[in-house]
Amino acid sequence: MAIGATPARASGDPVVDRLRVVQDLCDRGEPLDSIMAAVLADGLKPHERRRFDADALAGPLGSRLDIATKRGAARRREFVTVLKPYVTGVDARVKRDLPVARRIAFHLIEHREIDDLADGDALQKLVAAAAEPSRRVRKKLRWYADLPLQDELPEALFRLRAADLIPMTQIEDVSWSGGRLHVSGHAYLAGLSVRSRRFNRATVVLRGPRWLPPVRLRTRRVFHPEATYGAEEAGCNYDWSGFTAELSPWPLRWRSAVRAVVRGGKRLLRRRATVQDTTTWRAEIVIWSRGARAVGLLRGPSTGRTERPSGLDLGGGWWIRPVWTSDRALQVVLQPTRAELTGVKLDGERLEVQVFLPGKEASRGHARLDGHRIAADFTPVDGGTAVVVPLAVASLLQERDGGRLWIEPKGDPAASVMIGKAEESRTVVGDREITVLRDRRDRVSVSAHRIRPVITAATWDEQGVLVLEGSYPGSGAAELTLKHRSGLIHAIPLEREGSRFTVRIAAAAMPRFGDTVPLGSGTWSMAVRDPAGQIVPFRVDHAILDDLDEDTKIRDGREYRLISTRFDIPVLSVAEHRPDDEKGAGGLYALRRGFYPAERTRELNDAIVYVAYDGRQYEGNVRAIYEERVRRGDAGEHIWVVKDGAFTPPGPAELGFGEGEGPTVVRAGSREHYAVLARSRYVVTNGFLPPWFRAREDQTVVQTWHGTPVKRLGNDLPHMSRDPRPPAWHRQAVEVRGWDLLVSQSPWATRVLRKAFGYQGEVLESGYPRNDVLVAPDRDEMAARMRARLGIAEGARVVLYAPTYRDYDRKNASIRLDLAEAHRVLGPGHEFLIRAHSMQAAPNVPAGLGRDVTTYPDITDLLLIADVLITDYSSVMFDFAATGRPMLFFTHDLQRYSSKRGMYLDLAAEAPGPLLSTGAEVIKALRSIDEVTAAHAERYDLFQRTYAPRDDGKATARLVDHVFLS
């Protein structure tokens, strides 16, 4: 079957394999003809064809339809023309059972004229409406989707069917009590509110293999408002979607016994010995809600303890274990212990794993470890068979990954070795260790890896400090690294004593360049950087998992929680503590549609709101304006918007301006945030404000922007000129209409910004306030204090490397500058500061060769102390020009960047320094920086006059006078 692509690995299911091919073609953006060739290829039986058509229309072809609809009439025409014959030939039952939005869209393609769909807006309306959570409407005893075109199409097309009524579930507790399994969480049908117990039922059902009758758990609805807070649908109430279910082991035992008799009889008829077998039951939930009925898998464990439910020992070698599948669905397993670990012993170059097979006498067989067949010694003993599995230590140490251990007596199926009552084992061999541990299902797994630190105790003290203690054999300095998914890393030294360690994590006050900040929201993984520089992950001792404190700790308006996820991997979860009425889509809806409009009708306060980078930083033009207003003793209220606890703005005393009331801090996204933007007379920002903000006629919005642009932005980006206009275009147009004043660094910047934003209002070419410190009379004293704060030796030449981000390569963390070679060539006395863009991955800076200052609060402070700037296409070049110090341009990807993003500035003709394409050229230029500076002196002077003519130290005063005194 020649279809242009093949799946990476066949699954054995032709429908799944074909879908992978189609999805791969769609993901690669292949032409529609190639995709349809794969869709229409032969090789599927009739029932397989129906399955494939259903999944293809609901999945990749439906997504391709959404894209074509948004890309204009020509793309819609092409898509409808190619797809119409195929959709017409699809089985009617398949089209009827599609999700409602897809069902209506493909009905239009099948029955309407191509010109009508290409030139009309029917598909556009439908796709736009389907992208939002749709309302559900009940007519008599049936439910329908509230989507466009209801007056043009048959009512049956809008009826909600099984594909639309999928239970949304979250499991928050799976535990044993009194010999019974208790499962609790919430489950609801999206869009169907459940405000009470009335007409609201749910039943958890366990379904076993084939003919076994299902087990219905005793289930009751409970009040659970957290479901409403976390829902994606605004306006829906799921307060009574909570449930608790209870399971007694007996129904599973007698059903499994009947199955064992049947299966045993079949094996005897084949003259094979009977074997105790595992029975797996999948958990489903059946919901009856206001006339709608739906069935779905019970899935979605809460992070932490719920991910690792314990089993129940029934005696006689039988266990019941609730387990989670790879797609996070709940199963209950009734399992015999056919092989049990009894001990582990190191004997010279062999690691002997001792296993007992209860009730089974076998003299021959073998073991398997992660697919590798291993010889084993079988010895019949009283009550069963003792097995010794010899593992060569040298071979284990060469393996990169471990695996589960199986015992396979001759003539019987393989049995997974269970941990039983044996102790887990860690055997240290040099700088590596061999571990024999249990997994989340109590199965034995053997692996070899670098010695890992194991947490044996975790406590929170009264100051909110997390204290971790544990085992980590070895010596030498080491540090705990907390890593965020964004790439940000915090390092904390480990206190080591023998094989033990202690580390203290002050999550609410992490050190940062002489100050402290709380950990940012998100999940922080834990690892240790050993003396050799290797990164080794932490693990939690399995013995403390049952008693591990995973409760949320609240400190200074933030939530901290230590969690052992994926069984034994410790992470630190951080979030802002928010009131219930601000959570979820419902909370946002109420704030934006109710609270904010009401606040806008109230009288304005004599206050100034400061917003820098959405509240993420205290820096730049916004900071300079605030400090000037405080210096002048402004009596009005100063309000800073702070996102995720990123900073604490200083008051008059901290700024050295005498005693006075400090600024008000509001949390971004809070009710107070909406209120201050609705009722403050002045709003000062350096970027776009929240999309819900609408400037009042009596408000003054000062847009200082965050830099004179080098790269194209706004309306000058290619996608902004598409037809129809993208959402970003409409978002920008609404935002710009609310600006009262745009601050510009130069006449050149004014022309660029007006065109890029479509701005027709007042522009003040005051220069940038943030650059005043760069030419201030006391700049040398300020620079000396900054150098001392960063620990830079007096007299060292500071080289600041500050590149911009790449849209096409944001995850790249390399710095492309060989710092080791730079130090070798330049010799001592050079200090390299690396400042990556906030939209680029955190840089990998080699220890001891440079300083990562990406998270330093204000880049202006870094420009103040820099003797040389290395940049590429960043607007920092315009700011640094005020210093008159040399600049180098490391433009290793100039052609690619220019073609993909586009630039306003011709660097080759106007850059005030050399354009360098390799790291070696940069180092050579640094070595002869005085000659390079002299060679570009005239261009530097012209650059200053053109792009920073008013950065003379008085920009802040000019702006403040113009806005607040005129």
Side-chain angles (χ1 to χ4, degrees):
M1 179 176 65
I3 55 178
T6 55
R9 183 170 64 179
S11 68
D13 186 334
V15 174
V16 173
D17 292 340
R18 181 77 65 86
L19 279 170
R20 285 178 181 170
V21 171
V22 174
Q23 185 66 61
D24 181 57
L25 292 171
C26 290
D27 291 344
R28 284 161 29 198
E30 296 293 335
L32 199 54
D33 290 340
S34 299
I35 296 173
M36 293 312 299
V39 170
L40 297 170
D42 297 331
L44 297 179
K45 298 176 182 177
H47 70 281
E48 293 173 340
R49 168 57 67 179
R50 288 192 292 272
R51 274 182 57 208
F52 171 79
D53 288 341
D55 291 341
L57 290 171
L61 293 181
S63 299
R64 192 67 179 244
L65 166 64
D66 293 344
I67 295 172
T69 300
K70 297 173 183 177
R71 293 290 174 85
R75 295 290 293 273
R76 287 196 296 272
R77 185 182 304 278
E78 177 196 13
F79 185 86
V80 174
T81 302
V82 174
L83 217 68
K84 191 179 186 75
Y86 165 67
V87 173
T88 303
V90 171
D91 190 297
R93 292 170 295 178
V94 170
K95 291 181 283 192
R96 180 197 64 192
D97 293 334
L98 288 172
V100 61
R102 298 283 186 246
R103 185 191 318 149
I104 296 171
F106 289 118
H107 175 87
L108 294 173
I109 291 174
E110 180 179 1
H111 292 93
R112 289 201 175 179
E113 295 296 328
I114 295 175
D115 290 343
D116 292 343
L117 293 179
D119 300 328
D121 61 355
L123 286 176
Q124 291 172 271
K125 289 180 178 179
L126 184 63
V127 169
E132 302 292 332
S134 59
R135 287 198 316 114
R136 312 299 175 91
V137 179
R138 187 170 66 178
K139 299 179 181 179
K140 297 182 180 179
L141 295 179
R142 292 178 176 174
W143 286 90
Y144 296 83
D146 186 13
L147 290 171
L149 310 176
Q150 293 187 51
D151 55 344
E152 304 176 26
L153 298 173
E155 184 180 70
L157 284 174
F158 296 84
R159 182 181 172 186
L160 301 182
R161 299 185 181 275
D164 305 295
L165 298 172
I166 299 175
M168 309 294 291
T169 62
Q170 175 79 40
I171 313 305
E172 293 164 3
D173 181 58
V174 181
S175 59
W176 295 93
S177 177
R180 293 173 177 267
L181 180 66
H182 294 263
V183 181
S184 63
H186 66 258
Y188 58 84
L189 301 179
L192 273 63
S193 293
V194 279
R195 293 183 173 87
S196 69
R197 287 178 175 172
R198 190 180 181 190
F199 304 122
N200 172 30
R201 291 174 53 201
T203 302
V204 176
V205 180
L206 300 182
R207 300 193 184 277
R210 296 187 182 178
W211 46 268
L212 284 182
V215 180
R216 289 176 171 80
L217 279 63
R218 194 161 85 187
T219 311
R220 65 186 181 91
R221 283 296 202 183
V222 295
F223 183 67
H224 192 78
E226 291 78 9
T228 303
Y229 306 147
E232 297 181 358
E233 302 82 25
C236 290
N237 185 310
Y238 303 119
D239 287 357
W240 279 90
S241 64
F243 72 88
T244 60
E246 184 180 284
L247 171 68
S248 169
W250 171 244
L252 300 186
R253 298 191 69 174
W254 75 255
R255 285 167 171 79
S256 296
V258 172
R259 179 172 179 261
V261 170
V262 174
R263 290 174 63 87
K266 290 181 179 179
R267 289 182 66 88
L268 290 175
L269 289 175
R270 296 172 187 160
R271 299 184 179 180
R272 301 175 66 181
T274 59
V275 178
Q276 291 179 323
D277 200 6
T278 296
T279 305
T280 301
W281 308 75
R282 72 177 185 275
E284 296 180 348
I285 190 161
V286 184
I287 295 178
W288 292 268
S289 180
R290 301 167 61 197
R293 181 183 183 275
V295 180
L297 292 175
L298 205 55
R299 65 170 79 241
S302 296
T303 306
R305 195 177 310 280
T306 309
E307 293 180 294
R308 51 178 197 275
S310 59
L312 178 67
D313 186 357
L314 299 176
W318 285 87
W319 283 76
I320 289 184
R321 291 185 173 91
V323 299
W324 298 100
T325 65
S326 58
D327 61 347
R328 298 168 60 83
L330 180 64
Q331 293 182 342
V332 179
V333 177
L334 182 62
Q335 183 178 25
T337 301
R338 294 178 49 217
E340 186 174 18
L341 181 71
T342 57
V344 179
K345 183 174 69 173
L346 182 64
D347 184 10
E349 295 300 316
R350 297 197 318 173
L351 186 75
E352 293 186 350
V353 181
Q354 301 164 356
V355 180
F356 181 67
L357 308 182
K360 177 70 180 180
E361 292 190 2
S363 57
R364 299 175 63 186
H366 61 269
R368 283 194 288 116
L369 180 62
D370 194 32
H372 300 289
R373 184 166 175 167
I374 303 170
D377 299 329
F378 286 72
T379 305
V381 296
D382 185 27
T385 302
V387 182
V388 176
V389 182
L391 302 174
V393 171
S395 298
L396 282 174
L397 294 176
Q398 292 176 359
E399 294 289 334
R400 295 190 60 183
D401 299 309
R404 286 167 50 197
L405 182 63
W406 300 75
I407 302 296
E408 192 168 349
K410 184 175 177 62
D412 282 352
S416 180
V417 179
M418 310 303 290
I419 193 70
K421 297 180 180 179
E423 292 186 0
E424 297 176 318
S425 165
R426 296 178 183 271
T427 304
V428 176
V429 182
D431 63 347
R432 296 173 67 81
E433 64 178 349
I434 301 173
T435 60
V436 181
L437 306 174
R438 67 183 176 98
D439 65 8
R440 69 183 72 192
R441 298 192 184 189
D442 291 335
R443 302 170 299 193
V444 170
S445 127
V446 182
S447 63
H449 41 71
R450 294 188 67 86
I451 298 174
R452 290 175 176 168
V454 179
I455 298 170
T456 58
T459 57
W460 294 86
D461 67 16
E462 294 180 355
Q463 286 73 41
V465 176
L466 174 62
V467 181
L468 302 179
E469 300 175 88
S471 170
Y472 185 34
S475 60
E479 58 185 12
L480 164 74
T481 62
L482 292 171
K483 185 173 182 179
H484 195 266
R485 61 179 300 178
S486 66
L488 182 62
I489 294 177
H490 287 279
I492 306 170
L494 255 65
E495 302 171 15
R496 304 183 73 173
E497 184 176 348
S499 64
R500 304 291 298 174
F501 75 85
T502 302
V503 63
R504 292 171 172 80
I505 305 173
M510 300 296 294
R512 185 182 70 174
F513 302 107
D515 201 353
T516 60
V517 292
L519 283 177
S521 293
T523 300
W524 295 82
S525 61
M526 296 184 183
V528 67
R529 184 183 287 119
D530 66 13
Q534 297 288 332
I535 300 296
V536 184
F538 271 82
R539 290 293 184 264
V540 178
D541 190 351
H542 298 171
I544 71 166
L545 285 175
D546 290 342
D547 299 320
L548 183 66
D549 181 3
E550 295 181 304
D551 294 338
T552 299
K553 313 299 179 184
I554 300 176
R555 187 172 182 83
D556 299 330
R558 302 181 65 75
E559 299 177 354
Y560 303 95
R561 184 181 176 211
L562 175 66
I563 304 171
S564 181
T565 185
R566 294 166 54 192
F567 189 51
D568 60 358
I569 300 177
V571 296
L572 190 57
S573 175
V574 184
E576 292 183 296
H577 182 62
R578 295 181 296 162
D580 291 340
D581 60 0
E582 295 180 9
K583 295 178 180 177
L588 284 177
Y589 185 89
L591 288 172
R592 295 182 181 183
R593 300 295 180 90
F595 179 76
Y596 178 66
E599 288 292 301
R600 289 184 79 245
T601 64
R602 301 178 63 188
E603 184 179 354
L604 283 177
N605 295 322
D606 186 18
I608 310 172
V609 178
Y610 301 93
V611 188
Y613 294 102
D614 301 323
R616 290 180 283 113
Q617 293 177 359
Y618 175 76
E619 74 154 4
N621 296 323
V622 180
R623 170 188 174 181
I625 295 168
Y626 163 70
E627 293 183 358
E628 176 67 10
R629 294 293 288 159
V630 174
R631 186 189 68 81
R632 295 186 181 192
D634 174 36
E637 183 182 10
H638 299 279
I639 304 171
W640 275 91
V641 175
V642 178
K643 186 174 185 178
D644 200 26
F647 62 89
T648 301
E654 293 92 338
L655 293 171
F657 300 144
E659 296 299 322
E661 188 175 347
T664 302
V665 176
V666 299
R667 176 174 54 82
S670 66
R671 182 175 295 270
E672 293 75 19
H673 184 199
Y674 286 82
V676 298
L677 282 184
R679 300 189 58 203
S680 296
R681 189 171 302 281
Y682 296 96
V683 178
V684 180
T685 182
N686 68 350
F688 285 169
L689 292 163
W692 44 263
F693 173 74
R694 295 292 181 270
R696 295 167 55 165
E697 289 295 329
D698 45 357
Q699 275 183 316
T700 299
V701 177
V702 180
Q703 175 58 261
T704 69
W705 203 242
H706 47 264
T708 295
V710 177
K711 48 189 172 291
R712 296 193 180 275
L713 77 162
N715 294 335
D716 294 329
L717 293 172
H719 72 275
M720 295 290 274
S721 59
R722 289 176 184 162
D723 184 22
R725 300 291 190 187
W729 186 91
H730 295 282
R731 160 87 172 85
Q732 176 180 286
V734 172
E735 167 86 18
V736 170
R737 281 198 296 268
W739 296 350
D740 294 286
L741 180 69
L742 175 62
V743 180
S744 172
Q745 194 173 11
S746 66
W748 181 88
T750 299
R751 293 191 298 272
V752 171
L753 292 172
R754 278 196 183 279
K755 180 174 179 294
F757 293 131
Y759 177 69
Q760 302 299 321
E762 181 185 2
V763 175
L764 179 65
E765 292 176 0
S766 61
Y768 270 167
R770 66 189 182 195
N771 295 334
D772 285 354
V773 298
L774 301 180
V775 293
D778 59 344
R779 60 183 178 275
D780 292 337
E781 291 81 358
M782 289 189 289
R785 290 195 296 270
M786 272 298 307
R787 284 175 173 247
R789 179 179 178 182
L790 293 177
I792 297 174
E794 185 177 352
R797 171 169 281 179
V798 177
V799 180
L800 174 62
Y801 180 34
T804 191
Y805 69 97
R806 271 67 174 163
D807 293 293
Y808 49 84
D809 197 21
R810 293 192 183 188
K811 294 183 179 180
N812 192 336
S814 64
I815 60 175
R816 292 187 172 272
L817 193 61
D818 190 340
L819 296 181
E821 178 66 10
H823 280 284
R824 187 190 70 79
V825 172
L826 300 174
H830 283 76
E831 189 77 49
F832 286 87
L833 307 182
I834 313 300
R835 172 81 172 197
H837 196 282
S838 61
M839 297 176 68
Q840 189 75 21
N844 290 327
V845 182
L849 298 178
R851 299 170 186 258
D852 181 5
V853 292
T854 301
T855 59
Y856 187 85
D858 194 341
I859 191 174
T860 306
D861 294 343
L862 304 177
L863 299 181
L864 184 65
I865 65 172
D867 297 300
V868 182
L869 172 68
I870 304 174
T871 187
D872 45 19
Y873 326 110
S874 171
S875 64
V876 72
M877 68 177 73
F878 301 115
D879 302 320
F880 195 69
T883 68
R885 298 170 191 156
M887 285 187 264
L888 304 177
F889 294 84
F890 188 13
T891 54
H892 55 85
D893 58 349
L894 177 59
Q895 184 174 358
R896 184 182 183 189
Y897 192 91
S898 298
S899 62
K900 284 189 171 292
R901 179 64 187 253
M903 293 192 294
Y904 297 112
L905 191 67
D906 184 354
L907 286 177
E910 300 184 75
L915 271 58
L916 310 168
S917 57
T918 67
E921 292 178 357
V922 174
I923 296 171
K924 182 179 178 181
L926 286 172
R927 190 176 185 181
S928 56
I929 193 64
D930 293 337
E931 291 84 351
V932 170
T933 303
H936 291 82
E938 290 187 11
R939 285 179 59 167
Y940 202 120
D941 185 58
L942 178 60
F943 189 86
Q944 284 180 315
R945 294 198 308 269
T946 304
Y947 300 107
R950 308 212 72 186
D951 284 352
D952 55 3
K954 302 176 182 178
T956 309
R958 281 192 290 267
L959 175 56
V960 170
D961 290 344
H962 181 85
V963 174
F964 299 100
L965 299 182
S966 60

